[in-house]
Amino acid sequence: MSRHEPGERAASERRAAELRESIAHHRKRYYVDDDPEISDGEYDALERELVAIETRFPELRTPDSPTLRVGGAPAEAFETFTHEIPLLSLDNAYDVEELREWEARLLKAIEGDRPTYVVEPKIDGLSIAVHWRDGLLERAVTRGDGAVGEVVTGNVRTIPSVPLRLTRAVAAFEARGEVYMPRSAFRELNRRREEGGEPPFANPRNAAAGSVRLLDPRITADRRLDCLFYGLARSSDGVPPTHFEGLRAMRDLGLRTNLRNDVAADLDAVLRYIERLQATREELDYEIDGVVVKVDRLDQRERAGATSKFPRWAIAYKYPAQQATTVVRDIVVQVGRTGTLTPVAELEPVQLAGTTVSRASLHNSDEIERKDVRVRDTVVVEKAGEIIPQVVKVVTSKRRRGARKFRMPETCPVCGSAVVREEGEVAHRCTGAQTCPAQRREALLHFASRTGMDIQGLGESLVDQLLRREMVRDVADLYRLEAGALAELERMGEKSAANLLGEIEASKRRPLNRLIYALGIRHVGERAARQLAGAFGSLTALLDAGEDSILAVEEIGPKTARQVRLFAEQRGNRELVERLIAAGVDPREESRPAATAPGSPFAGKSVVLTGTLPGRTREEAKSEIEARGGRVTGSVSAKTDLVVAGQAAGSKLDRARSLGVEIVDPEEFERMLSR
Ligand code: IVH
């Protein structure tokens, strides 16, 4: 969190959101529509204001930040860079036989000359090219597709093992290496993420790759990344004749290289290295998936050359995935924070890749069906870089009689609400979005969010405290909080408690569409909530509505209608809504049948206004159209349904004509409004 006043940050956040929207709008007007509404100077002022906010609160920076945008190119977060020497990838060998075949091809290419090899652990991270100029770090570029990568200098700069200055001021120097996340850092990061309700990373490689591509280097700095260099690509001081000497030269300049790298005189020595490393692999603080075998002498490398995809002078020997056999004791179901039900196999504990494994994810019921995993089955589990092992297959020959098939429960094991699986989806979900303890935290945060009931100050840490102390269980409890108890909480005081209660009180006056959205009904986004609010006028009316009448609302499809009904049918949800109403949260909206009546000629139409309309401002015309279920947009495209052309209509009218869009004059427009 920032060290600024929370109110100030929140205000800036709102302003930044407004600015982004406005910038996006004007940018498009300028670049895409070629029809600017404001002067260049005014546009620049918007960007400057946003940059000022982002400088003050860098955590508010987003991928569309003007600070990150390069010229008029498509919105790219990172600059790209073309590698002068492409970053090739390696061919793989999965067993000794394939390794021997590789050597035979190599020997043929270098005509019987006997190579010495360098053997290196193959670290599971992401490769990076780093440039220094006059000894100073100049840029760091991801591999990308091998030819063009992304410039991530700011992030790589935060990795302590990457020197910002070489020991000598070499004029131009480029090295390649692997950025990775040490296992210890990975465990710590995932623990923090799970505590904070964020989804954990599947493996250290994903975590490292994600961290290098974060837009805020301050977060990257917090991720404890590391880097080992494995290749000297270019040096203005000249490159030594062998790779092994190149590794030493890099070390001399202050680059970290792997101390487990070694020289192997022949393929037998390579195989011994592979075995040795495999035996100690679990002692390493990083994950490896094999050994890279490289020809040491650069002149031999040159003669060996490359195929279209890989160099012939190197190969990656991949260790087989680590597997073990064990027995499924039970299959249980976990409910995630968004209500997804995940079946998990509880296993007889077994040693695998240095850890004791007693659970494995089964992902979803389709997976279980496909693999036919049953309780009491003997199964093969595998760890392929992932922290959570997977069930690979059932050893059917060992299936015992009475092995029980798994069935997804029909009610949520945590809260008892109905479980549904939507058409076309693999996941089963709990429908108790508001009442299920597994989903409470998310439900509260969503309810209080800016686009929901906008209860400022009710953020993650406060929600966590309220839940931990059992001061709230669901959103209705928020309206019973008392100042005294609130003031006792961490980082609260009488003043903040009073402020929060003020915010909660104010939330009672939010319009109905916000409340509907804040309830977190699946598929009900802000737009659908607005439509539903307009059509039904009160929460009770919405929950009492039948599926057909929900479906009759403009823009509401069968999936959404079904979910609204499901929500309404859960007793827990009905009780919750009654308590909300009793607490005074019962906004009303005049239901506007016109807005949803399919009969209006504007319902669901995309309309463009151009020229002046006698007796109406553009704003008035726009709200009349919107009140009848239409949308008003700024420019004419093939998607435009109707153009209202007033006096002195210009290029838009021409465009409408050329696209064959329906055009009406002001009199016809008035007639349509009164229909
Ligand atoms: S040498 C042409 N050495 O493995 C030579 N790569 O599958 C290219 N890797 O993209 C790479 N440790 O990200 C090399 N000691 C090592 C390595 C290594 C990990 C990665 C690297 C590369 C991938 C190729």
Side-chain angles (χ1 to χ4, degrees), residues 9-29 38 43 45-69 75 215-216 450:
R9 187 188 176 284
S12 297
E13 186 168 3
R14 273 200 303 273
R15 178 66 185 147
E18 274 173 32
L19 284 166
R20 270 187 212 110
E21 225 175 85
S22 159
I23 288 170
H25 170 76
H26 291 299
R27 227 200 122 262
K28 179 171 177 295
R29 296 293 301 212
I38 57 176
Y43 177 81
L46 293 176
E47 282 208 349
R48 268 203 308 278
E49 192 187 346
L50 179 55
V51 170
I53 294 178
E54 289 181 342
T55 313
R56 193 157 162 68
F57 301 105
E59 73 270 28
L60 294 182
R61 216 166 264 173
T62 58
D64 63 349
S65 161
T67 56
L68 299 164
R69 192 164 243 150
L215 292 169
D216 186 349
R450 192 172 52 83

Side-chain angles (χ1 to χ4, degrees), residues 387-514:
I387 277 299
I388 304 157
Q390 317 286 312
V391 172
V392 184
K393 61 171 185 193
V394 174
V395 185
T396 30
S397 60
K398 288 199 180 163
R399 175 161 286 164
R400 307 174 201 194
R401 236 181 286 150
R404 182 157 49 79
K405 276 208 170 197
F406 171 79
R407 282 195 46 175
M408 217 20 135
E410 282 166 15
T411 54
C412 171
V414 177
C415 75
S417 297
V419 165
V420 291
R421 179 187 194 167
E422 286 176 61
E423 223 180 280
E425 289 215 3
V426 281
H428 285 75
R429 283 173 204 280
C430 161
T431 50
Q434 282 297 329
T435 46
C436 183
Q439 301 178 67
R440 258 173 212 161
R441 183 177 190 275
E442 289 306 303
L444 282 158
L445 288 171
H446 177 74
F447 188 80
S449 69
R450 192 172 52 83
T451 40
M453 298 293 264
D454 196 13
I455 305 177
Q456 286 181 40
L458 189 58
E460 297 192 7
S461 87
L462 193 54
V463 164
D464 286 340
Q465 288 192 66
L466 293 174
L467 287 172
R468 217 178 317 125
R469 296 181 189 221
E470 297 183 8
M471 288 165 70
V472 300
R473 297 177 50 179
D474 57 36
V475 299
D477 290 340
L478 292 173
Y479 297 91
R480 297 175 27 184
L481 286 172
E482 281 165 16
L486 276 176
E488 308 270 291
L489 297 175
E490 289 160 36
R491 287 195 294 268
M492 285 292 269
E494 276 172 31
K495 187 150 180 283
S496 334
N499 283 346
L500 181 68
L501 288 183
E503 285 284 332
I504 293 175
E505 192 56 34
S507 76
K508 293 180 182 171
R509 296 187 296 274
R510 302 279 178 258
L512 178 61
N513 60 315
R514 295 279 209 108

Side-chain angles (χ1 to χ4, degrees), residues 268-287:
D268 283 341
V270 168
L271 294 175
R272 284 198 298 277
Y273 178 88
I274 287 174
E275 270 175 35
R276 250 192 349 260
L277 190 66
Q278 186 160 20
T280 53
R281 138 180 213 195
E282 299 311 326
E283 294 163 15
L284 304 172
D285 194 26
Y286 44 81
E287 291 203 346

Side-chain angles (χ1 to χ4, degrees), residues 168-179:
R168 271 187 302 113
V170 187
F173 193 83
E174 178 182 348
R176 270 94 195 258
E178 194 83 351
V179 172

Side-chain angles (χ1 to χ4, degrees), residues 88-90 120-123 127 143 178 230 292 294 311 313:
L88 298 180
S89 70
L90 294 171
E120 305 175 356
K122 185 173 188 303
I123 299 175
S127 44
R143 176 175 185 278
E178 194 83 351
Y230 56 66
V292 184
K294 302 174 176 175
W313 48 263

Side-chain angles (χ1 to χ4, degrees), residues 128-430:
I128 193 118
V130 187
H131 302 221
W132 288 266
R133 178 154 309 274
D134 298 325
L136 293 177
L137 182 81
E138 184 185 27
R139 79 173 71 76
V141 190
T142 61
R143 176 175 185 278
D145 62 2
V148 179
E150 287 176 314
V151 179
V152 288
T153 319
N155 289 340
V156 169
R157 206 189 281 282
T158 68
I159 305 174
S161 49
V162 175
L164 302 182
R165 177 189 290 272
L166 300 178
T167 54
R168 271 187 302 113
V170 187
F173 193 83
E174 178 182 348
R176 270 94 195 258
E178 194 83 351
V179 172
Y180 64 92
M181 184 171 288
R183 288 183 212 258
S184 47
F186 173 71
R187 278 193 296 267
E188 164 74 16
L189 172 64
N190 266 359
R191 193 183 53 71
R192 283 200 329 236
R193 285 176 73 89
E194 291 198 67
E195 262 176 26
E198 288 173 279
F201 285 106
N203 54 49
R205 185 190 52 244
N206 291 0
S211 306
V212 164
R213 299 191 68 259
L214 282 169
L215 292 169
D216 186 349
R218 294 185 321 174
I219 306 178
T220 312
D222 215 35
R223 291 278 170 95
R224 284 224 287 126
L225 293 172
D226 216 329
C227 182
L228 278 164
F229 289 94
Y230 56 66
L232 198 175
R234 276 185 314 149
S235 169
S236 53
D237 284 3
V239 173
T242 67
H243 174 58
F244 208 66
E245 287 170 283
L247 289 171
R248 188 154 15 152
M250 289 199 293
R251 266 207 307 283
D252 287 346
L253 287 171
L255 306 191
R256 186 166 172 251
T257 64
N258 199 330
L259 294 173
R260 295 195 182 235
N261 296 345
D262 207 349
V263 176
D266 54 27
L267 207 62
D268 283 341
V270 168
L271 294 175
R272 284 198 298 277
Y273 178 88
I274 287 174
E275 270 175 35
R276 250 192 349 260
L277 190 66
Q278 186 160 20
T280 53
R281 138 180 213 195
E282 299 311 326
E283 294 163 15
L284 304 172
D285 194 26
Y286 44 81
E287 291 203 346
I288 61 171
D289 57 351
V291 169
V292 184
V293 186
K294 302 174 176 175
V295 170
D296 192 24
R297 270 171 48 188
L298 302 198
D299 62 318
Q300 289 177 337
R301 286 189 179 187
E302 199 146 321
R303 272 159 52 213
T307 68
S308 59
K309 287 194 232 141
F310 317 113
R312 274 196 207 90
W313 48 263
I315 190 144
Y317 174 87
K318 290 287 200 78
Y319 288 125
Q322 294 164 296
Q323 295 191 330
T325 302
T326 185
V327 172
V328 177
R329 278 182 175 168
D330 199 0
I331 297 176
V332 297
V333 171
Q334 285 181 350
V335 186
R337 62 198 178 89
T338 54
T340 310
L341 271 63
T342 307
V344 173
E346 294 198 326
L347 308 168
E348 295 285 353
V350 61
Q351 283 298 117
L352 176 60
T355 54
T356 308
V357 169
S358 52
R359 329 191 83 198
S361 170
L362 291 163
H363 304 291
N364 54 59
S365 54
D366 285 356
E367 274 290 295
I368 300 184
E369 192 97 344
R370 195 171 62 74
K371 292 179 180 154
D372 191 20
V373 183
R374 304 184 192 181
V375 176
R376 299 191 65 211
D377 266 349
T378 300
V379 291
V380 176
V381 288
E382 172 179 300
K383 240 185 186 178
E386 279 75 20
I387 277 299
I388 304 157
Q390 317 286 312
V391 172
V392 184
K393 61 171 185 193
V394 174
V395 185
T396 30
S397 60
K398 288 199 180 163
R399 175 161 286 164
R400 307 174 201 194
R401 236 181 286 150
R404 182 157 49 79
K405 276 208 170 197
F406 171 79
R407 282 195 46 175
M408 217 20 135
E410 282 166 15
T411 54
C412 171
V414 177
C415 75
S417 297
V419 165
V420 291
R421 179 187 194 167
E422 286 176 61
E423 223 180 280
E425 289 215 3
V426 281
H428 285 75
R429 283 173 204 280
C430 161

